[in-house]
Amino acid sequence: MTDPTYILGIESSCDETACAVVADGHRVLSNVVASQVELHKRFGGVVPEIASRAHIEAINNVMAEALDRAETAAENVAAVAVVNEPGLIGSLLVGLMAAKTAAWVWDVPLVAVNHVYAHAYAPAMDADSIEYPAAALICSGGHTALYQFRSPMELSLLGSTIDDAAGEAFDKVACIMNLGYPGGPPIDRAAREGNAKAIDFPRSLLGGRSLDFSFSGLKTAVLYYVNGVPGERRGRRRKAGPAARRASAQKNAGRGIENFTPQEVADLAASFQAAVVDVLRIKLRRAARETGARTLIVGGGVAANTALRAAMADLADKLHCTLRIPDMPYCLDNAAMVAGLAHHYLNAGQTAELDLGANATVRR
Ligand code: KG4
Ligand code: ZN
């Protein structure tokens, strides 16, 4: 039997400083995540400058703790993997510098990993290998996209959001509802007590065959439902768009969230969530049909959503596909998925030079 290959993964693309040690692309020896949520909470979203500063303060300790918990000496690490795209540029650069330094000092290869592709590999962490080809839906705070994966490394983009990401819609709607940041978990909790059919929010499908997404109309519909349509509130008549017309036609519209009863809040959360889940489900079904994939992958922070997990399990059942959705700790940003995916790049000889750069955005 050959010795296991240990890879140290580093992830700092947004507001989590994360390091992990993974053996042979699957076995997670440590998975350390330092969250910055408390720092960004009062701003209702991630402040890039605060994020990069916090990464600088955390990175050395997080890396040391990942090695410590894995009970692995640095000399056993075969490669250092780092997310270099996409993400907040200042945040990415902190992880990148740490990874380059470690790779140089330990004299091991550096492996560049795309954050979104790592989310699509997350279901393989502490679990069986993923069977390819697969249709993958990645929905997080910064990204919502569909891919066809032919292997962990070979993929084609099928569609992506033309405005907000699904997680961003959760965060913004939670802000409208005064539920705090990040918005996914409190909406998920509130929705459990609510009636998902109480309010008829729009499901934007962008045409019968499109694999792109749009969530900004839904967000506006919630805003109008809660606070009223701007022109109408002041008693003036205005030419209203479809979101406004629909919102103003509904019972309870425009009362302000402070006047909603707990049941009405729950109904609002459940109805909004159902609109997002319906769209994600319909689009993944289209992608599965188009690609003929027998494996469905769902990843990214929104994959933690209870209603989404149930809807995707049901979809996979109906399509006779295998659903691969990560266990909770691997839905949200983490470095285990990064070190895991890097194993395949390392085996294929796809390593990076020490002058590797970072990219804030990628469309492929
Ligand atoms: O993947 P992730 O940790 O970071 C990014 O790459 O963006 O995803 C964070 C996003 C946030 O928008 C958060 O509100 C959302 O995932 N999220 C959820 C849930 N838990 C986290 N959305 C819906 N339901 C949840 N339970
Ligand atoms: Zn992410």
Side-chain angles (χ1 to χ4, degrees):
M1 226 173 97
T2 51
D3 284 342
T5 305
Y6 297 122
I7 297 185
L8 171 71
I10 301 180
E11 147 69 44
S12 67
S13 64
C14 190
D15 61 342
E16 327 275 4
T17 318
C19 293
V21 178
V22 175
D24 297 332
H26 289 279
R27 197 157 49 87
V28 181
L29 301 182
S30 65
N31 184 29
V32 182
V33 182
S35 170
Q36 302 177 4
V37 161
E38 289 307 316
L39 297 177
H40 300 288
K41 227 173 196 161
R42 67 192 176 103
F43 302 102
V46 178
V47 183
E49 289 77 8
I50 294 177
S52 357
R53 198 176 295 243
H55 284 306
I56 291 174
E57 285 168 8
I59 190 79
N60 285 343
N61 289 339
V62 173
M63 204 193 295
E65 198 172 330
L67 289 169
D68 237 40
R69 285 197 203 170
E71 296 179 0
T72 310
E75 53 267 26
N76 294 330
V77 170
V80 180
V82 64
V83 165
N84 73 321
E85 61 176 29
L88 301 170
I89 195 72
S91 294
L92 286 168
L93 287 172
V94 177
L96 194 55
M97 287 313 297
K100 286 179 181 180
T101 309
W104 181 63
V105 170
W106 299 336
D107 194 21
V108 295
L110 178 70
V111 182
V113 174
N114 174 298
H115 177 87
V116 181
Y117 308 164
H119 270 305
Y121 187 76
M125 305 321 301
D126 274 337
D128 294 339
S129 301
I130 298 169
E131 283 190 25
Y132 295 92
L137 166 70
I138 306 305
C139 38
S140 68
H143 321 275
T144 296
L146 282 165
Y147 294 90
Q148 178 185 25
F149 274 87
R150 292 175 291 281
S151 78
M153 303 184 295
E154 292 169 284
L155 59 115
S156 318
L157 177 68
L158 302 172
S160 60
T161 181
I162 59 168
D163 42 54
D164 293 350
E168 197 178 347
F170 271 94
D171 295 337
K172 287 177 178 164
V173 164
C175 184
I176 295 167
M177 295 176 70
N178 282 343
L179 291 176
Y181 174 85
I187 290 185
D188 192 340
R189 275 194 300 275
R192 283 176 208 157
E193 313 299 322
N195 172 8
K197 295 204 168 84
I199 308 155
D200 177 24
F201 284 125
R203 273 84 169 147
S204 170
L205 297 177
L206 303 170
R209 297 178 57 106
S210 169
L211 293 174
D212 287 330
F213 301 87
S214 167
F215 293 106
S216 70
L218 171 60
K219 180 188 64 186
T220 308
V222 174
L223 180 70
Y224 287 169
Y225 182 81
V226 172
N227 293 334
V229 180
E232 289 188 0
R233 237 189 164 183
R234 292 191 295 273
R236 279 190 282 118
R237 291 189 69 78
R238 258 175 80 156
K239 197 164 180 293
R245 278 201 305 275
R246 219 188 246 249
S248 67
Q250 305 205 37
K251 173 175 146 295
N252 285 335
R255 287 159 57 225
I257 198 71
E258 61 286 359
N259 297 312
F260 280 50
T261 65
Q263 189 57 51
E264 287 167 346
V265 168
D267 288 350
L268 176 58
S271 301
F272 158 74
Q273 181 174 273
V276 176
V277 169
D278 278 357
V279 170
L280 296 175
R281 179 190 162 120
I282 291 167
K283 297 280 173 164
L284 182 58
R285 188 177 63 206
R286 282 183 189 172
R289 291 216 167 119
E290 192 160 299
T291 58
R294 314 278 356 129
T295 302
L296 305 183
I297 295 173
V298 181
V302 181
N305 185 270
T306 320
L308 183 74
R309 294 176 84 89
M312 293 308 178
D314 183 64
L315 175 66
D317 212 39
K318 295 227 160 71
L319 296 179
H320 306 292
C321 289
T322 306
L323 176 67
R324 298 301 306 268
I325 192 163
D327 287 344
M328 275 321 174
Y330 305 126
C331 285
L332 300 171
D333 286 348
N334 67 88
M337 63 186 189
V338 177
L341 178 55
H343 183 79
H344 298 270
Y345 290 112
L346 184 67
N347 278 351
Q350 294 184 27
T351 56
E353 298 298 324
L354 287 181
D355 63 355
L356 175 71
N359 303 312
T361 54
V362 186
R363 193 183 153 89
R364 62 171 125 83

